[in-house]
């Protein structure tokens, strides 16, 4: 664990999966971190582990689809960590939804978490950066499915294209405040979310989850599925000083799923 770099970061959805890998990596890079998740128990486990290993971490419960909850979580984290420099809007839901099966209830839930959650996070981060009198970095989770259309992901894909649109507009709107806004686009990452998707795909074909994962993997140039840590490395770059001259961009960390 490196010494603290006097920067603080909050990562939503960091009780497991990609978000957990991100807080672990940022902590190793010297950030004080807030593990913000709907699942407080998981967030507390990650925070405890980081604190026991020389990091500075706090767990906060948040429902990113609820604006008040997001503002409260960011305020609480900034106070507990003694600062606030980076927000990673990572929490997201990714159900497979054949286009004719999408219900209004599913639509509301997935858009409220993936799209509204990103907007509320941006607003809460602006409040803190202004209060603290400095700029900062906002990093949003899009997806390979937010760059190209994939089968059966109409609902999810729409939200992830929206996240890229919000990222580009916010980058322009917030530059004068010294705030950069970028996105990261993972490919097929070994997390509970992706195994849920692979399970459904596998079941539909009468096969197992691993078959489902490998089906998604077939177009990856580097010929392996992504570890959460692969994505965390990209986010660490966006959170650190080496990306200071980047804003409005999507960093695709997908092993080469498409080139454009
Ligand atoms: N796993 C993958 O292959 C890919 C994932 N992504 C994106 O990366 C992000 C993280 O995905 P995974 O780690 O795979 O997901 P995951 O499902 O494994 O973990 C998501 C975390 O977010 C939390 N969460 C869910 N709803 C929440 C809410 N309303 N408020 C706060 N926290 C909430 C969950 O409790 C969980 O800890 C998501 O935005 C996802 O869309 C993008 C491309 C590929
Ligand atoms: C889950 C996801 O983002 C996919 C399949 O691209």
């Amino acid at each position: 664990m490196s010494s603290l770099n006097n920067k603080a970061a909050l990562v939503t959805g960091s009780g497991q999966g990609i978000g957990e890998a991100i807080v672990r990596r940022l902590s190793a890079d010297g950030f004080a971190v807030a593990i913000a998740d709907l699942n407080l128990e998981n967030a507390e486990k990650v925070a405890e582990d980081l604190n026991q290993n020389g990091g500075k971490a706090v767990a906060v419960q948040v429902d990113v689809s609820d604006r008040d909850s997001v503002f409260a979580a960011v305020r609480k984290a900034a106070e507990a960590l003694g600062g606030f420099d980076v927000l990673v809007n990572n929490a997201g839901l990714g159900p497979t939804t054949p286009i004719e099966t999408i219900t209004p209830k599913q639509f509301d839930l997935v858009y409220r978490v993936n799209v509204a959650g990103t907007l509320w996070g941006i607003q809460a981060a602006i409040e803190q950066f202004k209060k603290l009198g400095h700029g900062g970095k906002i990093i949003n989770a899009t997806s390979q499915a937010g760059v190209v259309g994939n089968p059966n992901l109409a609902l999810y894909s729409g939200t992830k294209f929206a996240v890229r649109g919000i990222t580009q507009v916010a980058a322009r709107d917030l530059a004068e405040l010294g705030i950069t806004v970028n996105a990261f686009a993972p490919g097929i990452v070994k997390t509970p979310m992706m195994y849920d998707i692979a399970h459904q795909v596998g079941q539909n074909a009468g096969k197992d989850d691993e078959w489902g994962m490998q089906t998604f993997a077939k177009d990856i140039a580097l010929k392996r599925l992504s570890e959460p840590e692969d994505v965390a490395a990209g986010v660490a770059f966006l959170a650190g000083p080496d990306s200071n001259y980047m804003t409005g961009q999507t960093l695709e960390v997908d092993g080469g799923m498409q080139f454009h």
Side-chain angles (χ1 to χ4, degrees), residues 12-19 36-39 42 62-65 90-93 113-114 141-144 156 160 184-194:
T12 66
S14 48
Q16 68 176 38
I18 293 171
D37 205 293
L38 196 55
N39 185 330
N42 277 358
V62 69
D63 177 355
V64 298
S65 69
N90 165 76
L93 300 177
V113 172
N114 294 7
T142 177
S143 166
Q144 185 261 344
Y156 178 73
K160 293 301 185 179
F184 60 101
I188 307 300
V189 193
K190 293 191 233 167
T191 69
M193 172 196 281
M194 199 57 225

Side-chain angles (χ1 to χ4, degrees), residues 42-120:
N42 277 358
E44 283 175 339
K45 275 189 208 145
V46 177
E48 197 182 320
D49 189 42
L50 292 177
N51 283 324
Q52 277 174 0
N53 285 288
K56 180 174 179 180
V58 64
V60 286
Q61 190 163 34
V62 69
D63 177 355
V64 298
S65 69
D66 176 342
R67 187 172 183 273
D68 290 344
S69 170
V70 177
F71 272 74
V74 171
R75 286 177 195 140
K76 189 173 167 188
E79 200 173 328
L81 300 177
F84 185 70
D85 303 279
V86 174
L87 169 71
V88 185
N89 280 314
N90 165 76
L93 300 177
T96 43
T97 44
I99 204 154
E100 73 277 17
T101 69
I102 298 167
T103 64
K105 196 170 162 199
Q106 270 182 326
F107 180 91
D108 285 349
L109 177 66
V110 179
Y111 271 79
R112 280 172 64 109
V113 172
N114 294 7
V115 182
T118 301
L119 274 174
W120 306 151

Side-chain angles (χ1 to χ4, degrees), residues 13-229:
S14 48
Q16 68 176 38
I18 293 171
E20 179 181 350
I22 294 170
V23 284
R24 288 186 181 281
R25 172 60 193 260
L26 293 183
S27 180
D29 286 357
F31 284 82
V33 291
I35 296 108
D37 205 293
L38 196 55
N39 185 330
L40 184 61
E41 204 183 319
N42 277 358
E44 283 175 339
K45 275 189 208 145
V46 177
E48 197 182 320
D49 189 42
L50 292 177
N51 283 324
Q52 277 174 0
N53 285 288
K56 180 174 179 180
V58 64
V60 286
Q61 190 163 34
V62 69
D63 177 355
V64 298
S65 69
D66 176 342
R67 187 172 183 273
D68 290 344
S69 170
V70 177
F71 272 74
V74 171
R75 286 177 195 140
K76 189 173 167 188
E79 200 173 328
L81 300 177
F84 185 70
D85 303 279
V86 174
L87 169 71
V88 185
N89 280 314
N90 165 76
L93 300 177
T96 43
T97 44
I99 204 154
E100 73 277 17
T101 69
I102 298 167
T103 64
K105 196 170 162 199
Q106 270 182 326
F107 180 91
D108 285 349
L109 177 66
V110 179
Y111 271 79
R112 280 172 64 109
V113 172
N114 294 7
V115 182
T118 301
L119 274 174
W120 306 151
I122 291 172
Q123 289 182 345
I126 296 169
E127 179 190 72
Q128 274 311 309
F129 294 148
K130 281 187 170 169
K131 186 175 159 198
L132 296 169
H134 59 62
K137 289 174 178 262
I138 298 173
I139 303 164
N140 301 323
T142 177
S143 166
Q144 185 261 344
V147 180
V148 294
N150 289 332
N152 294 326
L153 290 178
L155 180 57
Y156 178 73
S157 218
T159 67
K160 293 301 185 179
F161 272 78
V163 168
R164 289 180 56 229
I166 291 167
T167 300
Q168 292 185 9
V169 174
R172 290 206 177 276
D173 287 352
L174 304 182
E176 64 184 7
L177 296 174
I179 301 171
T180 63
V181 189
N182 291 293
F184 60 101
I188 307 300
V189 193
K190 293 191 233 167
T191 69
M193 172 196 281
M194 199 57 225
Y195 274 103
D196 280 350
I197 294 175
H199 176 72
Q200 290 170 46
V201 169
Q203 245 189 356
N204 291 345
K207 311 270 185 180
D208 63 12
D209 300 3
E210 201 48 44
W211 181 90
M213 287 296 268
Q214 296 306 330
T215 300
F216 279 108
K218 69 180 179 344
D219 294 329
I220 301 174
L222 294 181
K223 295 292 172 220
R224 70 167 173 87
L225 296 166
S226 173
E227 302 295 334
E229 291 73 20

